[in-house]
């Protein structure tokens, strides 16, 4: 019999904390797209430190066109309506430094998709996908 490897999952309390951080970020950006954060508001990466000094990284990504070219010929861009933005949130295992790499590195092969937000454009619903919390 072939044994299937279980997919990587962040610890439950970490996944819940990241979900809370992600929803806070999304709401902040929806209300002010130019709000100052620690990264790119529409493709935001950050790390969550665990008690043992290791990390879980997470990404909050807006996969839609959140700007459009103004029609006034200025060449400038303007934000689209936030109700048309959909978001995806995932977290990733992080490998500690080792002999080969002196820095922490994200292991994108060990990913846990946490949720999507506003995929039906305007419903502002959180949709979980196979999350057992």
């Amino acid at each position: 019999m072939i044994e299937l490897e279980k997919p990587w999952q962040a610890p439950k309390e970490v996944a819940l904390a990241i979900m809370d951080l992600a929803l806070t970020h999304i709401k902040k950006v929806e209300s002010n797209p130019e709000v100052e954060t620690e990264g790119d508001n529409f493709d935001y990466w950050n790390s969550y430190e665990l008690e043992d000094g290791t990390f879980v990284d997470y990404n909050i990504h807006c996969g839609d066109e959140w700007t459009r070219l103004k029609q006034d010929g200025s060449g400038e861009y303007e934000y689209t309506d936030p109700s048309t933005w959909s978001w995806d949130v995932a977290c990733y295992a992080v490998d500690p430094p080792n002999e080969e790499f002196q820095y922490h590195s994200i292991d994108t092969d060990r990913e846990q998709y946490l949720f999507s937000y506003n995929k039906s454009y305007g419903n502002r619903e959180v949709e979980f996908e196979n999350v057992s919390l």
Side-chain angles (χ1 to χ4, degrees):
M1 185 165 124
I2 298 174
E3 267 190 55
L4 298 176
E5 188 177 317
K6 286 181 97 177
W8 176 85
Q9 286 193 318
K12 180 180 178 177
E13 62 278 0
V14 173
L16 290 170
I18 289 171
M19 288 180 198
D20 186 50
L21 290 167
L23 286 169
T24 300
H25 175 84
I26 291 167
K27 290 302 189 182
K28 192 185 304 183
V29 172
E30 281 184 334
S31 66
N32 178 7
E34 295 188 13
V35 65
E36 190 170 323
T37 64
E38 297 172 336
D40 180 334
N41 289 347
F42 295 91
D43 190 18
Y44 182 83
W45 286 88
N46 209 332
S47 296
Y48 189 93
E49 187 171 4
L50 306 180
E51 289 179 7
D52 65 1
T54 60
F55 295 90
V56 172
D57 280 8
Y58 60 98
N59 177 244
I60 307 165
H61 180 75
C62 180
D64 295 297
E65 296 296 326
W66 37 270
T67 60
R68 66 175 163 242
L69 190 60
K70 286 184 176 181
Q71 298 301 309
D72 62 6
S74 67
E76 295 177 351
Y77 286 84
E78 62 188 352
Y79 290 103
T80 58
D81 182 343
S83 70
T84 65
W85 303 343
S86 67
W87 302 81
D88 294 288
V89 178
C91 62
Y92 302 85
V94 177
D95 295 326
N98 58 40
E99 290 179 14
E100 191 176 343
F101 299 106
Q102 68 179 11
Y103 301 106
H104 289 87
S105 56
I106 300 170
D107 183 349
T108 55
D109 290 332
R110 294 188 293 156
E111 170 191 14
Q112 180 182 3
Y113 185 82
L114 296 176
F115 68 88
S116 64
Y117 175 77
N118 201 37
K119 286 293 186 180
S120 295
Y121 304 116
N123 71 353
R124 300 200 192 280
E125 289 180 3
V126 174
E127 297 173 18
F128 300 98
E129 185 174 303
N130 299 324
V131 176
S132 57
L133 298 174

